[in-house]
Amino acid sequence: MANALEFESPITKRYPSGGSRDLALSDESSQTKTLVRAADDSAAASQLGVAFGGSRHQAGVHIIGQRPTEWLLVGDESAAAAMVVGLDRTGHVSVIDHTHARALLRLTGERSADVLSKICNVDFGDHMTPDGSALSASVAKVGCDITRDDASGIRSYRIACDRSFAQYLFDAILDAGREFSLTAVGA
Amino acid sequence: MSNSMRLPAQPGEVIDRSRRIDIKWNGKKLSGFDGDTIASALVANEVRVVSRSMKYHRPRGYLTADFWDPNGFVQVGDDPNVRSGHRLIEKGMTVDPQNVWPSLDYDVKAANGLVGRFLTAGFYYKTFIKPQRLWPVYEKVLARFAPGGVVDLDTPHGLYDKRYAHPDVVVAGGGPAGMAAAIAAAEAGSKVMLVEHEHHLGGHLLWGSAEDRALAAELTAAVETAGVEVLLNSTVTGRYEDNWVAIAQRSHPQAIERLVKARAKMLVVAPGLIERPYVFAGNDKPGVMLSGAVRRMVNMYAAKPGSRAVVFTGNGDGDAAASDLERAGIEVARIVDARNGENILAAHGPAKSMDSVELADGTKVEADLLVTAVGWTAPTSLLNMAGDRPSYDANAARFFPNSPIDHVLSTGGIAGDGSHEELIEHAVATGRLAAARAAAIGHRLQAATRRAASVDGEAPAFAADDRPILPRDPHPELFRSTTHGIVDYSEDVGSKDLMAAAAEGYDSVELLKRFTTATMGPSQGKLETVNTVAVLGEARGETIEEVGTTVWRPPYAPITLGALGGRIHEPARVSSIQPWHEANGVTPILAGAWIRPEHYGNPESEVRNTRANVGITDVTPLGKLDLQGPDVPKLLSQLYTNKWMQLPVGSVRYGIMCAEDGVVLDDGVTGRLGDEHYLMTTTSSGAASIWEWAENWLQTEHPDWKVHVTPVTTGLTSINVAGPKSRELVSRLVAHAGDGAIDLDGEAFKYMQVRQGTIAGVPNCIMWRIGFTGELSFELHVPSGHGLHVWEALLEAGKDLGVRAFGLEAQRIMRLEKGHFIVGQDTDGLTKAPSTGMTSLIKLDKEDFAGKAELAWAMDTPLPVVVGIQTVDPLIVPAEASQIVREGTNEILGRITSSRMSPTLRRSVCLGQVAPESAAAGTELTVVLTTGERIKARVMEHHAHFDPEGARLRG
């Protein structure tokens, strides 16, 4: 039986360990994810400090402007909670725990854009999708929110989708990355 | 067979003689070298006949010996219709002729040729049209004559791939002009994709002189240095709106083929020119070849296409072919120069070869090879697709691009003639222009896209086209001799057929094409279009310009269905409990994208256990929307037909949603979790559409309402706990005191109420008391990261209570026993809300709601009604969709919408829609079974067959 309060990953298959980490796909679904909905001209929006299409990091939380009037805060539980507590709720502001609703995958490696370009019709070139940019698109026919979040100068993407699609999407990305030797890490 | 027609090493050959490759042709072993095409390997092994023509089954040899060769289609293993002029040989390859019986040498279907004069164009249309009832017979016979190879339906699905690309510039064609344009564009800062149809860059330079080959090597090296992405053995198959360019890549290291969908800012069209055949008697005999084919065979593959040649030439390529043949030691018996007014009349010889050429001056020259060089077709397809209508230049005897297109430029032979230097200069200017325009487009795109890197200043102006103009070399118009011959080799259509069709009235080029099928074969008109137009011009006594031409549409070259399908992506959704389902013998069912448990072996047993003890079922796919804001009641009142302004916190209410036409859209319950916080459930299939429906009302009609609608369907794993022991089971897992405690007492937590708390140690769970199965039920909505834990905890805690999982089928049976209708099954696209019998939920005294105006009418109008139905014979279960008819007639009164054998009642139970006059309780109905048998059934007083008072679910 699964243990109470231990987060159950939506990626339930097991993958061979080892292989190159130059291009890796990992599951970050256990990260706390909080959806904030507020008007673009609200105090909350000013606090979050990033507009639709962009993202930034603050106090251990990745603040993603994933849609107009909609932000996703990703981080560990305490950091995310601290940010939510400090959020100015003036006006019509909704805060929804999305930790369980959205799966979060991370694709890292110099060729990660090549992998995505096999299953997503978005220009992932630096001009159109620079580090920090956020967008919504179909990935292997699943509606996803994609955020470019380079790690130590290495190209990296966070891909969020409905939890129920996560296993399918994980496998679809791995399939797309076969020709680039994409490896599943930690799953 | 051994390479008896293989020439000594040629300076420009692309074969690797150190790597011999054995293949099988037509059951016999032969060998070639790495780099050989199937065609060059066959020619080097003295194979002259490789196919039979489509209709008359005439023996055919290579004509163009490249991708476009209409005579070169073969079967390779289980792969039909392979272009042998293009496909490279591989070790162990089995190559066979196709559409021959019993063999390539003795093909019985060649008898068609004996009755050829009765099989002219339009023969099929005229002959097989009557009597219509015989068409199935005709079809079977005609299928035996259909061309093409054999498809093995057991062939495993191969790996086909897809990729999206966003290059600044796509260059279609890797000849000298295409390469020069690509290099220039890349050097000007563009991201360039260069697509070449063949296996090597270089185009016609590859079979040209030493200087030509040196230029090809120089340009190829520069392409690499410039960082151009090169796709070899790939074809730009189409150009669509906004420069959406489709590329079929046949050179992927893992996939059989890959479709590249490129959104190019600029497209440069540089496909070169395609050599045109000449129409004369015997022009399809094995041994008649175009000059380019001969030069490729000799110079690139060191294969000897014949022993004694006649060369009919109207241009420098024909002259060069004659020189190449002589240099390779092949006797050139006669050069017939069209520029001096000389002409050929016919190729003669036995069926499978030629032995002489008849000239216009009456002489006959012995030869087994006739080389023709009569001009070129400009493959303007991609320009056509971009909107251009090329125009004919009689002086140059070919078509040229006509009107400038902002995002599509052409260069190379398609744009004009000239020296290498002139053509390269034009191509470089084209590449630079493409790069400049791509930069301007890119600037605008970046400035208009929020997420893009910021750009400074105004977008650069769209660069003007100041490229040099290429000259057009004069060329004699050489289309048909004074004799008749084949025009479309793929379709076996001759010049006589075309003239006959024109005489019958099919004298517009578009009609002629469709009537005769000329230009509609796998060569896609590349070889035939201009000759077809020229012959029609002859028939009409008009010039080519006056006749006009057909429009080339995508694809530029045929593309496999595999490539179009690409990698198959079929998203599948699963709940967090899926691992348990799989480990416990589930039979899954696909419901939309969801993989759901249909049952675990015996759905009837699952029903009985739930009615007697307690069952749990995974209902995660139920649509769930989080609603927050002070105006949520207004939104609910707008969406549902009943009232919502006074729903107390902690209560749940059922409602029906209608479209503006009063037709039932969805149904479900919504519970109030807090002052301004609600949770709505929809049907599983309605989850997305109801979210959009709600947003539509908020964004278009009531933007002033403060409501946030957020889908949380998969954030909450939903488990229905049903059965007389469900309260006992759930009580063992809820907290009874402190934060998160829930009091399950029937008075404290009544039917249609909602509570929030901790279940099995998991906080923030939502629980409501509703009952789709008709049993005492608790629907748990658990954060999905702990859904499996709660599910397993329920099974563990309820062992002594007899808890078992039940699937969708058991749930459907129980809801039918209880008479709950399902939107989309018991209703359809015409079912208005009053038809469901839920008239008490339609509140016309509300200020407004979706569908109100229509429902006001419908409430007073006799409409079909959803009713409970039982068959008189309790053991007969009419199939769903069985028709209900008026006794003694075929007049349809309704249909059975749901039916099952009830394990609880041990009899058949149904819901159905019937005409209003037949809806009264006790009405006897006639139901037509799928066997045609008619049985009796009765309308019941209630929808519910079981516990109509609802005592169990309120228990």
Side-chain angles (χ1 to χ4, degrees):
Chain A
M1 187 195 293
N3 296 321
L5 304 184
E6 181 183 310
F7 184 86
E8 297 157 7
S9 166
I11 310 304
T12 56
K13 285 192 199 169
R14 291 291 164 260
Y15 298 87
S17 54
S20 167
R21 300 283 177 105
D22 292 344
L23 184 61
L25 179 65
S26 57
D27 174 28
E28 296 186 343
S29 298
S30 64
Q31 291 269 296
T32 297
K33 299 175 281 290
T34 307
L35 186 73
V36 177
R37 303 193 60 179
D40 284 334
D41 58 358
S42 64
S46 300
Q47 272 181 305
L48 294 169
V50 63
F52 161 57
S55 71
R56 70 187 185 93
H57 289 267
Q58 180 189 317
V61 178
H62 191 191
I63 307 168
I64 303 166
Q66 65 179 19
R67 266 177 276 281
T69 73
E70 199 172 308
W71 293 261
L72 188 70
L73 316 183
V74 180
D76 65 43
E77 194 173 356
S78 57
M83 185 167 287
V84 168
V85 166
L87 201 63
D88 189 330
R89 306 286 185 103
T90 307
H92 178 37
V93 177
S94 297
V95 176
I96 302 154
D97 180 7
H98 250 30
T99 305
H100 303 270
R102 304 292 279 174
L104 188 62
L105 312 181
R106 182 180 278 279
L107 177 64
T108 302
E110 288 307 328
R111 301 215 65 179
S112 49
D114 295 328
V115 176
L116 282 178
S117 72
K118 290 183 64 181
I119 45 179
C120 180
N121 185 11
V122 165
D123 185 349
F124 288 104
D126 287 337
H127 290 97
M128 293 301 289
T129 313
D131 186 22
S133 56
L135 60 112
S136 296
S138 164
V139 181
K141 293 189 181 171
V142 173
C144 292
D145 298 315
I146 303 170
T147 310
R148 181 163 168 192
D149 184 37
D150 291 358
S152 307
I154 297 174
R155 189 182 285 261
S156 186
Y157 297 91
R158 276 185 149 162
I159 305 161
C161 71
D162 260 3
R163 180 188 166 101
S164 59
F165 284 118
Q167 183 66 68
Y168 159 80
L169 185 68
F170 197 89
D171 287 337
I173 296 172
L174 277 182
D175 178 69
R178 246 195 309 180
E179 70 178 276
F180 309 108
S181 303
L182 173 61
T183 309
V185 173
Chain B
M1 293 180 182
S2 61
N3 286 264
S4 58
M5 297 295 272
R6 186 72 76 178
L7 293 163
Q10 299 296 304
E13 68 182 27
V14 295
I15 53 173
D16 179 354
R17 291 179 187 249
S18 69
R19 299 185 63 191
R20 180 176 289 272
I21 293 177
D22 292 334
I23 64 168
K24 256 190 182 174
W25 159 249
N26 202 13
K28 290 177 185 163
K29 186 179 153 189
L30 57 80
S31 64
F33 297 113
D34 191 21
D36 259 326
T37 62
I38 294 172
S40 64
L42 293 187
V43 169
N45 282 275
E46 215 176 338
V47 175
R48 302 277 287 186
V49 178
V50 290
S51 68
R52 293 273 179 163
S53 69
M54 180 188 116
K55 193 157 70 175
Y56 303 122
H57 288 257
R58 291 160 64 95
R60 292 273 176 84
Y62 287 110
L63 178 73
T64 70
D66 63 1
F67 188 92
W68 300 113
D69 201 314
N71 302 336
F73 288 93
V74 294
Q75 177 102 16
V76 176
D78 58 4
D79 197 359
N81 306 322
V82 171
R83 293 161 188 267
S84 60
H86 178 80
R87 177 77 67 89
L88 300 179
I89 60 168
E90 294 168 28
K91 190 180 170 189
M93 187 181 249
T94 302
V95 185
D96 288 296
Q98 42 183 52
N99 193 32
V100 291
W101 186 80
S103 71
L104 179 63
D105 285 341
Y106 303 101
D107 186 358
V108 169
K109 294 179 203 169
N112 283 358
L114 301 175
V115 290
R117 64 198 182 99
F118 301 112
L119 300 177
T120 55
F123 166 75
Y124 296 114
Y125 310 141
K126 294 170 187 169
T127 310
F128 297 107
I129 198 165
K130 285 180 180 175
Q132 204 174 358
R133 64 188 163 79
L134 283 184
W135 172 247
V137 179
Y138 295 151
E139 195 178 24
K140 276 185 186 167
V141 174
L142 291 173
R144 289 180 181 276
F145 285 85
V150 179
V151 175
D152 182 352
L153 297 177
D154 294 327
T155 299
H157 183 80
L159 175 64
Y160 289 85
D161 203 36
K162 188 161 74 176
R163 172 195 164 194
Y164 299 98
H166 295 80
D168 295 320
V169 179
V170 166
V171 180
M179 285 196 284
I183 295 162
E187 287 177 346
S190 279
K191 184 177 162 190
V192 181
M193 184 179 271
L194 174 60
V195 185
E196 168 53 35
H197 199 55
E198 289 296 337
H199 304 279
H200 311 272
L201 290 176
H204 66 273
L205 298 178
L206 295 177
W207 58 86
S209 65
E211 293 73 26
D212 288 345
R213 293 195 302 277
L215 177 58
E218 184 188 326
L219 288 168
T220 302
V223 163
E224 193 176 344
T225 307
V228 172
E229 181 180 3
V230 179
L231 300 182
L232 292 176
N233 190 13
S234 304
T235 306
V236 176
T237 64
R239 184 271 178 195
Y240 304 87
E241 285 301 302
D242 291 332
N243 261 9
W244 194 103
V245 174
I247 300 163
Q249 183 186 0
R250 298 176 292 270
S251 55
H252 190 269
Q254 291 162 0
I256 298 168
E257 284 183 29
R258 172 149 88 177
L259 182 65
V260 180
K261 296 181 169 183
R263 182 72 70 181
K265 296 181 183 74
M266 291 294 297
L267 172 64
V268 173
V269 179
L273 297 170
I274 294 176
E275 193 169 18
R276 206 173 52 234
Y278 192 49
V279 181
F280 59 95
N283 66 344
D284 66 334
K285 290 186 83 58
V288 177
M289 295 179 82
L290 306 191
S291 70
V294 166
R295 297 188 75 198
R296 278 190 288 278
M297 278 295 159
V298 171
N299 296 340
M300 292 178 69
Y301 303 107
K304 199 172 158 186
S307 301
R308 182 179 158 87
V310 168
V311 178
F312 176 55
T313 175
N315 54 48
D317 277 26
D319 305 342
S323 299
D324 288 342
L325 288 169
E326 281 176 336
R327 182 183 49 74
I330 300 164
E331 183 186 353
V332 177
R334 178 79 180 261
I335 295 175
V336 183
D337 196 331
R339 290 160 294 194
N340 299 334
E342 295 177 321
N343 203 352
I344 54 173
L345 293 184
H348 294 291
K352 294 172 199 160
S353 62
M354 55 168 285
D355 57 18
S356 64
V357 179
E358 183 182 349
L359 309 184
D361 62 8
T363 56
K364 249 187 177 183
V365 184
E366 281 186 21
D368 63 353
L369 176 65
L370 171 55
V371 182
T372 66
V374 297
W376 300 274
T377 295
T380 56
S381 307
L382 295 172
L383 300 172
N384 276 133
M385 295 171 207
D388 189 23
R389 294 291 173 266
S391 57
Y392 181 72
D393 183 337
N395 187 48
R398 69 177 197 260
F399 282 85
F400 288 89
N402 196 23
S403 45
I405 302 161
D406 284 349
H407 299 79
V408 182
L409 305 171
S410 57
T411 189
I414 197 171
D417 299 307
S419 64
H420 282 337
E421 290 71 24
E422 286 173 304
L423 284 161
I424 298 285
E425 183 191 0
H426 184 270
V428 166
T430 301
R432 286 178 185 153
L433 178 60
R437 289 185 174 181
I441 295 165
H443 190 287
R444 283 177 209 159
L445 273 175
Q446 234 172 296
T449 306
R450 277 222 197 183
R451 68 171 190 277
S454 57
V455 281
D456 297 327
E458 291 289 311
F462 208 64
D465 187 352
D466 54 1
R467 293 175 293 166
I469 293 171
L470 286 170
R472 295 179 181 184
D473 293 344
H475 194 289
E477 288 187 286
L478 298 167
F479 306 110
R480 186 175 79 87
S481 179
T482 53
T483 53
H484 283 289
I486 293 293
V487 174
D488 188 323
Y489 292 75
S490 305
E491 301 285 293
D492 248 356
V493 178
S495 49
K496 240 185 216 173
D497 296 320
L498 295 177
M499 288 188 170
E504 283 192 61
Y506 298 98
D507 57 356
S508 118
V509 67
E510 292 287 358
L511 273 182
L512 183 83
K513 166 182 166 178
R514 284 156 182 83
F515 183 67
T516 64
T517 70
T519 77
M520 291 170 71
S523 301
Q524 304 263 279
K526 303 293 183 298
L527 306 176
E528 311 88 3
T529 294
V530 178
N531 285 345
T532 300
V533 172
V535 170
L536 179 61
E538 271 190 73
R540 282 171 39 173
E542 292 176 347
T543 65
I544 289 177
E545 209 163 9
E546 288 166 331
V547 170
T549 185
T550 54
V551 176
W552 267 325
R553 298 181 179 84
Y556 174 77
I559 183 167
T560 64
L561 291 174
L564 286 176
R567 202 83 186 102
I568 295 171
H569 294 297
E570 291 177 354
R573 311 180 76 174
V574 294
S575 84
S576 61
I577 306 169
Q578 183 67 12
W580 188 93
H581 299 321
E582 289 176 7
N584 285 275
V586 72
T587 296
I589 185 171
L590 199 60
W594 283 95
I595 298 173
R596 302 189 65 176
E598 184 171 23
H599 60 80
Y600 304 89
N602 187 336
E604 291 78 18
S605 164
E606 291 164 18
V607 170
R608 283 193 290 272
N609 184 67
T610 304
R611 295 276 187 230
N613 298 307
V614 58
I616 60 173
T617 190
D618 179 0
V619 291
T620 303
L622 271 178
K624 293 175 279 283
L625 298 174
D626 180 280
L627 310 175
Q628 293 192 37
D631 294 320
V632 172
K634 291 181 184 171
L635 175 67
L636 296 174
S637 296
Q638 182 70 60
L639 298 178
Y640 286 116
T641 60
N642 53 344
K643 294 184 177 177
W644 290 84
M645 297 304 289
Q646 303 297 329
L647 183 72
V649 172
S651 285
V652 169
R653 186 168 290 166
Y654 173 81
I656 295 174
M657 291 183 198
C658 290
E660 290 287 34
D661 58 3
V663 168
V664 178
L665 202 60
D666 206 79
D667 71 340
V669 296
T670 293
R672 188 170 184 184
L673 306 178
D675 282 344
E676 296 185 359
H677 190 192
Y678 295 70
L679 180 67
M680 172 190 284
T681 61
T682 71
T683 59
S684 305
S685 57
S689 57
I690 296 304
W691 175 33
E692 286 177 18
W693 181 238
E695 284 292 347
N696 184 48
W697 281 101
L698 287 173
Q699 293 179 29
T700 63
E701 298 293 327
H702 300 288
D704 54 317
W705 288 356
K706 290 186 170 61
V707 181
H708 287 143
V709 181
T710 308
V712 292
T713 297
T714 56
L716 294 169
T717 292
S718 302
I719 303 169
N720 192 272
V721 186
K725 298 176 184 173
S726 57
R727 179 178 284 121
E728 170 63 21
L729 173 56
V730 176
S731 73
R732 294 179 181 182
L733 293 177
V734 297
H736 293 285
D739 279 354
I742 303 175
D743 184 353
L744 295 180
D745 182 84
E747 286 303 309
F749 185 14
K750 293 180 180 167
Y751 182 60
M752 298 303 278
Q753 287 193 326
V754 58
R755 297 290 181 266
Q756 298 174 81
T758 299
I759 302 174
V762 178
N764 303 319
C765 295
I766 299 166
M767 183 192 310
W768 49 36
R769 270 198 63 193
I770 55 171
F772 196 47
T773 60
E775 289 297 325
L776 172 68
S777 298
F778 297 85
E779 194 159 283
L780 319 181
H781 301 288
V782 180
S784 285
H786 308 298
L788 180 59
H789 162 75
V790 172
W791 175 269
E792 290 180 334
L794 285 163
L795 289 169
E796 182 67 25
K799 274 182 180 170
D800 61 316
L801 301 175
V803 66
R804 281 174 56 193
F806 64 94
L808 200 55
E809 175 60 13
Q811 187 197 51
R812 283 179 178 161
I813 293 171
M814 287 188 276
R815 73 89 198 175
L816 181 56
E817 289 175 340
K818 179 59 185 167
H820 286 142
F821 68 86
I822 295 178
V823 173
Q825 172 155 340
D826 300 298
T827 69
D828 56 34
L830 296 173
T831 306
K832 295 181 192 295
S835 292
T836 63
M838 302 276 187
T839 49
S840 64
L841 295 182
I842 301 168
K843 304 296 186 187
L844 294 175
D845 58 339
K846 283 203 298 182
E847 187 182 344
D848 187 27
F849 63 92
K852 182 181 177 184
E854 186 73 12
L855 289 172
W857 167 84
M859 288 286 275
D860 295 327
T861 306
L863 294 169
V865 185
V866 176
V867 293
I869 296 172
Q870 288 187 359
T871 53
V872 172
D873 181 341
L875 298 181
I876 296 176
V877 183
E880 288 172 351
S882 294
Q883 289 176 347
I884 298 167
V885 298
R886 191 179 297 284
E887 172 64 18
T889 73
N890 286 329
E891 183 189 345
I892 296 171
L893 295 176
R895 69 183 191 282
I896 300 293
T897 56
S898 296
S899 62
R900 289 289 189 282
M901 176 59 72
S902 161
T904 310
L905 303 174
R906 297 176 189 275
R907 64 153 297 120
S908 131
V909 292
C910 310
L911 282 175
Q913 279 202 31
V914 295
E917 67 269 25
S918 301
T923 304
E924 190 170 87
L925 304 172
T926 300
V927 180
V928 183
L929 304 182
T930 51
T931 58
E933 186 188 350
R934 295 179 177 223
I935 62 160
K936 295 296 177 194
R938 282 195 197 91
V939 175
M940 308 304 293
E941 190 177 347
H942 308 282
H943 287 183
H945 301 273
F946 173 71
D947 187 25
E949 296 76 25
R952 293 175 74 96
L953 59 82
R954 288 185 169 81

